[in-house]
Amino acid sequence: MTQDPITLYRSMLLIRECEAQLNDLFAKNVFPGYIHSYLGQEACAVGVCSGLNDTDYVVSNHRGRGHYLAKGMALKPMMAEMLGKATGICGGRGGEMHAADPALGILGGNGIVGAGMPIGAGAALAAQMDGLGAVSVVFFGEGASNNGAFGETLNVAAAWKLPLIMVCENNLYAEMTPFVQTVGQPDVAARATGYGVASEIVDGNDVLAVRAAAGRAVDRARAGDGPTLLELKTYRWGGHFEGDPRKYRTRNEEAEWKARCPVARFRRHLLAEVGVEEDRLVTLEAAVAAEVAEAVTFALDSPLPAPETALLKVFA
Ligand SMILES: Cc1ncc(C[n+]2csc(CCOP(=O)(O)OP(=O)(O)O)c2C)c(N)n1
């Protein structure tokens, strides 16, 4: 849990740099499989997770690296997992969509859209029964809010006053479909009222606004006052996956959202409002880039899982 603005900036930079370097590996044809880029959404993960403790739970989705890193997953094992290597946090068995670190409350990504919601509710129920004040956070996209698990989770969380925070990162598109073509009400948060759940709509590109709203939700959950639905309005800079030709939206729209870059915006805030010296930020930026480059080298140099271990950790 951090309050320090430099630490928040560092966390956003780490995500930004990881995404950039992974995209680079993909462009060089070195990356195995898909990349679901988190570029552009950094303020969401950092704003929410910076207010959590290690004992709080986070359930992620298919676009999970921002969540993993913001909740504290170690960089090298995270990177190695993305490349399916034996040194990965899950021994290379999870890959790009399924990293987990239960010791930090990171219960895992999920390639099944919406499936993380009931898992998060289960973790919230466990936290409630433990009585130690932990909360559970589920990250999901606006597309997932059209899955039945969304309503079922909100309903049971409200009925049982679970310490659950449902974080919808509304980045406007589910795969190639604009969200507005799939709903009669474009604000996901508006649906919370019908379930008796508190909600807020937040600028998802403003890390301080996200952090403040998440803080209110966490306080409510820890106090035993039940769940909150946060809708963070944001944008994914890349396609649904790297290589997606993005024919369903315009380059102008992308440029408009890139001008609202959450990392650059917070950098301006640090310089103008917090009075941080630019040299300090430049040094930090170089250090983060070097740290990520080292993690990429570690991942590339790591072995693939040995074939004879293929059946280990297979439970069904
Ligand atoms: C149950 C299920 N249906 C469909 C898919 C295919 N699929 C993968 S990601 C995705 C879109 C998800 O959109 P959203 O929830 O808004 O998240 P985003 O990708 O925008 O972050 C779909 C339909 C899936 N993986 N699981």
Side-chain angles (χ1 to χ4, degrees), residues 116-225:
M117 299 176 184
I119 295 172
L125 178 60
Q128 187 184 60
M129 293 169 79
D130 286 342
L132 299 174
V135 305
S136 170
V137 174
V138 182
F139 286 99
F140 58 98
E142 77 296 336
S145 72
N146 287 344
N147 184 302
F150 174 77
E152 294 173 19
T153 301
L154 283 180
N155 187 58
V156 78
W160 295 349
K161 281 196 180 298
L162 296 181
L164 180 68
I165 297 139
M166 298 272 281
V167 180
C168 177
E169 294 178 81
N170 187 343
N171 61 19
L172 305 185
Y173 296 90
E175 287 192 330
M176 288 82 206
T177 307
F179 186 53
V180 289
Q181 289 178 13
T182 67
V183 284
Q185 159 56 270
D187 291 328
V188 175
R191 299 189 220 165
T193 315
Y195 291 97
V197 171
S199 67
E200 280 193 56
I201 295 177
V202 187
D203 179 346
N205 284 19
D206 179 348
V207 69
L208 295 179
V210 174
R211 191 186 152 78
R216 288 187 284 276
V218 168
D219 288 349
R220 186 177 297 121
R222 292 206 204 285
D225 292 334

Side-chain angles (χ1 to χ4, degrees), residues 62-63 111-113 141-144 171 173-175 236 240:
H62 56 284
R63 202 174 294 288
I112 307 299
V113 169
E142 77 296 336
N171 61 19
Y173 296 90
E175 287 192 330
R236 59 164 156 77
H240 173 60

Side-chain angles (χ1 to χ4, degrees), residues 7-92:
T7 311
L8 292 182
Y9 184 60
R10 189 184 181 290
S11 190
M12 284 205 285
L13 278 180
L14 191 64
I15 299 169
R16 171 64 56 100
E17 192 59 28
C18 277
E19 296 308 279
Q21 297 213 22
L22 282 171
N23 283 356
D24 193 44
L25 291 183
F26 185 84
K28 291 178 183 150
N29 222 1
V30 179
F31 189 87
Y34 289 111
I35 294 184
H36 300 88
S37 169
Y38 198 71
L39 280 178
Q41 299 181 209
E42 296 87 348
C44 300
V46 172
V48 172
C49 293
S50 61
L52 301 178
N53 303 320
D54 286 355
T55 45
D56 294 320
Y57 300 106
V58 163
V59 178
S60 182
N61 60 358
H62 56 284
R63 202 174 294 288
R65 267 177 311 284
H67 315 142
Y68 306 150
L69 290 170
K71 188 68 168 54
M73 190 181 283
L75 179 59
K76 284 182 179 173
M78 192 285 295
M79 194 59 88
E81 189 60 44
M82 296 301 119
L83 273 73
K85 297 299 184 76
T87 52
I89 190 84
C90 298

